[in-house]
Amino acid sequence: MKKLLVISLVITAMLSCEKDDNHRMNVDRDYFPLQIGNQWNFELAGKDSIIDITKINGVEYFEFVNDFGTTSYYRKQDDRIYVKSLSKENMEEMKFDLAANIDETWKYGPGYVTLISRNATISIGDMLIDSCLQFNFLNNDLIDYGSTIWLAPGIGIIQRTCQECFGSSFETLKLETARINNQLIEFK
């Protein structure tokens, strides 16, 4: 009887894993372009640049550096974007699931990420960028702290919100220029 129960639990777990993968969206656009030389310049926050590919524990990551000297490591696999921390835990976490369904949530850092929209429109200057993915981040360690990041097809992070940064309780940081795959994009 116990063997039958264990076998049925294993089969149920396998089927639920297959079911989750079958319900993932089909992503036909690059929402997080990774190439050495790509740059994103945000108002107030400065520039993020991909400067190199680095191997960590046998896995290749794109090395991002910002104007403040902070380095982070990203990789993409199966429409998921992973970030590698070089802290003593040396942990990798999924930051974005590009194929997630609306309202799907996953753990990230001390909080959670939820995909809010697959079709948000961002207005920067006189440009409208549609089909953007909108992700909300909630940090359980801080009261009322949350942020939002929008990813645009072919561009990557196009807009983000920030709480208690730059002397303001809430700020929206928009992309001013981007260099994606050797092409300069200006948002005016």
Side-chain angles (χ1 to χ4, degrees):
M1 187 67 164
K2 286 183 182 180
K3 282 185 179 181
L4 183 58
L5 180 61
V6 170
I7 291 171
S8 67
L9 287 174
V10 169
I11 290 171
T12 302
M14 288 172 44
L15 290 175
S16 63
C17 288
E18 288 178 12
K19 183 178 176 186
D20 288 345
D21 284 342
N22 289 336
H23 284 74
R24 292 174 53 77
M25 299 295 295
N26 181 19
V27 178
D28 61 354
R29 298 178 183 171
D30 191 358
Y31 281 89
F32 206 82
L34 294 173
Q35 178 176 309
I36 294 173
N38 285 359
Q39 297 178 339
W40 298 264
N41 189 22
F42 289 90
E43 60 186 8
L44 303 175
K47 182 172 43 183
D48 293 324
S49 304
I50 300 177
I51 63 165
D52 204 357
I53 296 175
T54 303
K55 241 183 189 178
I56 304 170
N57 298 329
V59 178
E60 286 189 351
Y61 292 88
F62 287 84
E63 184 176 343
F64 280 67
V65 174
N66 65 24
D67 282 349
F68 305 107
T70 304
T71 302
S72 51
Y73 301 90
Y74 286 84
R75 73 177 181 92
K76 187 183 326 182
Q77 181 179 335
D78 300 327
D79 293 322
R80 292 178 172 129
I81 308 302
Y82 297 91
V83 178
K84 179 75 163 176
S85 166
L86 293 185
S87 64
K88 69 178 186 177
E89 294 87 25
N90 206 20
M91 190 168 78
E92 178 185 82
E93 293 184 281
M94 180 177 66
K95 186 170 186 176
F96 301 110
D97 184 347
L98 305 178
N101 293 305
I102 302 296
D103 295 326
E104 193 170 332
T105 299
W106 55 93
K107 179 135 178 53
Y108 179 73
Y112 295 90
V113 179
T114 303
L115 177 64
I116 299 301
S117 176
R118 297 196 67 76
N119 197 26
T121 300
I122 300 299
S123 173
I124 301 177
D126 61 355
M127 296 178 75
L128 289 177
I129 299 93
D130 62 2
S131 302
C132 295
L133 302 179
Q134 178 182 349
F135 296 91
N136 281 1
F137 291 75
L138 175 66
N139 184 334
N140 291 337
D141 290 347
L142 301 172
I143 298 172
D144 294 328
Y145 179 80
S147 64
T148 303
I149 295 177
W150 289 264
L151 301 180
I155 298 169
I157 298 175
I158 193 161
Q159 179 174 283
R160 60 187 182 211
T161 61
C162 178
Q163 287 189 358
E164 298 187 23
C165 57
F166 309 110
S168 171
S169 61
F170 183 81
E171 193 71 51
T172 298
L173 308 174
K174 294 181 180 256
L175 196 58
E176 291 182 326
T177 61
R179 180 169 300 282
I180 308 296
N181 305 331
N182 296 317
Q183 180 181 356
L184 180 65
I185 306 166
E186 294 183 281
F187 299 90
K188 297 181 179 182

